[in-house]
Amino acid sequence: MPDVLDATPYDALLLLSFGGPEGPDDVVPFLENVTRGRGIPKERLKEVGRHYFLFGGVSPINDQNRALLDALRKDFAEHGLDLPVYWGNRNWAPYLTDTLRQMVADGRRRILVLATSAYASYSGCRQYRENLADALATLQAEGLQLPKIDKLRHYFNHPGFVEPMIDGVVRSLADLPEDVRDGAHIAFTTHSIPTSAADTSGPVEEHGDGGAYVRQHLDVAQSIADAVRERTGVDHPWQLVYQSRSGAPHIPWLEPDICDHLEERHAAGAPAVVMAPIGFVSDHMEVLYDLDTEAKAKAEELGLPVRRSATVGADPRFAAAVRDLVLERAADERGQEVAPCALGALGASHNLCPVGCCPARAPRPAAAGADSPYA
């Protein structure tokens, strides 16, 4: 990137995340927000929310976003990038619409969005864009001047996202008992989604078995496995597996589940497993419960040594990657030649989500894409 850190034409960055409850009284209202329109009874939501109640009704995601905000602001300030950073959530305070309203009041007119989801999928990208369109529609109804919004490209293969995960896997392997370390398998985990959503993830030309969602995860897993081999001298067997499945049991979702995978690895004689949650930016509830609680309980039941490597979180390298992505997109908007930074075989993702990318079953307006109604 150029020596002068020029973010023009952008005048703000919006950190857009999922949100989570911050106390027991928040759990059911939060889940009502997440499942709005599905008609799920409150008693069922209380049952679904049991994971949160195990942790005092508090999701760690909001504190982790605060830490990431601090890391971004610190990195920008230290490198002379004059770009204010705001934070809004889809499902809990600070709500996206409220944050956008404040940004408009502050005079922000060209906004870049960083979503806390690194990969292509409906739930990981287009749904965020739909929420942005909903928020803009609300501001428009209030008679406010609408800002122009763009979304940063998928950063699954940016070195600043991948390298902290490589370090995490290497540390987890080193933490295993020496007699099982070299034979340990690596289970790269991500959120399971319906196979129909996976198959249609990414641009239309990438649709097919698993779509861009599976291909991107496999590419990152291969990059990490190759780097681990180079650092340790050991070629560890690995597989992409899934966690956090929800929804009706008759609908096919991506498999195998992490707990089933642990059983399979144990039965096949694997001496240990490192679980590497490459599909998640931070250690939020699904990591703490599905891996640190449920999967570790399964491993203990099997007598299988496991370790769970860290997510990226607020690692300074990730903050630097966001700075790089901001400058890259700003230069591209100004019509300058840019060389996007990416590891692996897939190259850098698109800047603008094309028509037909990660479609929903029921089409809705989505901002920050080629089909956006808000130019």
Side-chain angles (χ1 to χ4, degrees):
M1 301 310 301
D3 292 333
V4 177
L5 302 192
D6 185 3
T8 57
Y10 298 105
D11 55 20
L13 176 69
L14 169 62
L15 175 65
L16 177 56
S17 193
F18 193 80
E22 302 205 71
D25 293 341
D26 296 344
V27 173
V28 171
F30 162 73
L31 292 173
E32 288 174 334
N33 288 341
V34 174
T35 61
R36 183 176 289 114
R38 302 182 202 172
I40 299 176
K42 184 170 289 190
E43 290 307 310
R44 171 61 180 153
L45 294 179
K46 289 180 180 178
E47 180 184 342
V48 171
R50 70 187 186 280
H51 301 173
Y52 292 97
F53 292 121
L54 287 174
F55 295 88
V58 178
S59 168
I61 194 169
N62 283 344
D63 277 346
Q64 289 161 2
N65 281 325
R66 292 182 184 103
L68 180 55
L69 274 175
D70 289 344
L72 291 172
R73 289 166 176 162
K74 181 174 184 288
D75 179 273
F76 288 8
E78 288 178 348
H79 290 86
L81 178 58
D82 184 17
L83 192 71
V85 187
Y86 293 75
W87 170 35
N89 289 326
R90 289 171 49 193
N91 299 297
W92 202 249
Y95 287 103
L96 168 60
T97 301
D98 295 336
T99 299
L100 277 181
R101 189 182 291 112
Q102 182 61 56
M103 295 177 82
V104 169
D106 291 346
R108 311 305 176 193
R109 296 294 177 259
R110 290 293 305 271
I111 297 170
L112 265 177
V113 174
L114 167 68
T116 54
S117 177
Y119 299 85
S121 70
Y122 171 74
S123 58
C125 183
R126 185 175 177 89
Q127 194 169 19
Y128 282 90
R129 293 176 49 225
E130 290 176 351
N131 294 142
L132 284 165
D134 291 343
L136 289 171
T138 298
L139 300 189
Q140 188 173 53
E142 294 172 359
L144 298 177
Q145 181 178 350
L146 298 187
K148 186 179 186 305
I149 293 178
D150 291 321
K151 180 178 174 292
L152 289 172
R153 67 175 171 91
H154 301 302
Y155 47 84
F156 64 93
N157 57 1
H158 194 287
F161 184 69
V162 177
E163 288 168 359
M165 294 190 291
I166 296 170
D167 289 348
V169 172
V170 170
R171 284 194 298 268
S172 293
L173 287 166
D175 192 49
L176 284 166
E178 188 174 357
D179 61 334
V180 299
R181 185 180 304 149
D182 286 352
H185 288 227
I186 306 172
F188 294 106
T189 78
T190 191
H191 205 301
S192 183
I193 61 175
T195 56
S196 59
D199 293 345
T200 56
S201 58
V204 172
E205 63 271 16
E206 296 183 30
H207 291 181
D209 187 17
Y213 185 75
V214 172
R215 280 193 286 277
Q216 289 171 0
H217 280 88
L218 287 173
D219 193 55
V220 171
Q222 185 68 65
S223 293
I224 296 173
D226 289 347
V228 169
R229 182 182 63 251
E230 291 173 5
R231 293 191 191 183
T232 66
V234 179
D235 191 7
H236 291 273
W238 64 269
Q239 186 173 341
L240 178 64
V241 302
Y242 302 93
Q243 61 175 92
S244 312
R245 179 197 163 122
S246 61
H250 68 279
I251 297 175
W253 284 54
L254 293 174
E255 296 178 336
D257 176 76
I258 178 61
C259 289
D260 294 338
H261 179 70
L262 292 177
E263 289 185 339
E264 292 166 1
R265 291 299 87 214
H266 179 257
V273 173
V274 167
M275 301 181 293
I278 62 172
F280 306 91
V281 172
S282 64
D283 288 4
H284 55 59
M285 183 57 68
E286 287 166 322
V287 175
L288 292 185
Y289 183 80
D290 295 325
L291 295 183
D292 291 354
T293 304
E294 195 171 51
K296 285 188 176 179
K298 171 59 69 175
E300 185 174 349
E301 172 191 319
L302 297 169
L304 177 68
V306 297
R307 297 293 186 271
R308 196 269 289 176
S309 64
T311 52
V312 173
D315 190 291
R317 288 169 291 183
F318 182 44
V322 174
R323 169 171 38 90
D324 182 61
L325 291 166
V326 166
L327 296 173
E328 171 196 301
R329 183 59 182 273
D332 184 72
E333 285 293 303
R334 296 193 303 269
Q336 296 176 274
E337 289 285 335
V338 294
C341 194
L343 299 175
L346 297 182
S349 185
H350 50 262
N351 271 339
L352 189 70
C353 291
V355 175
C357 194
C358 303
R361 282 181 293 178
R364 291 174 51 196
D371 56 354
S372 172
Y374 301 100

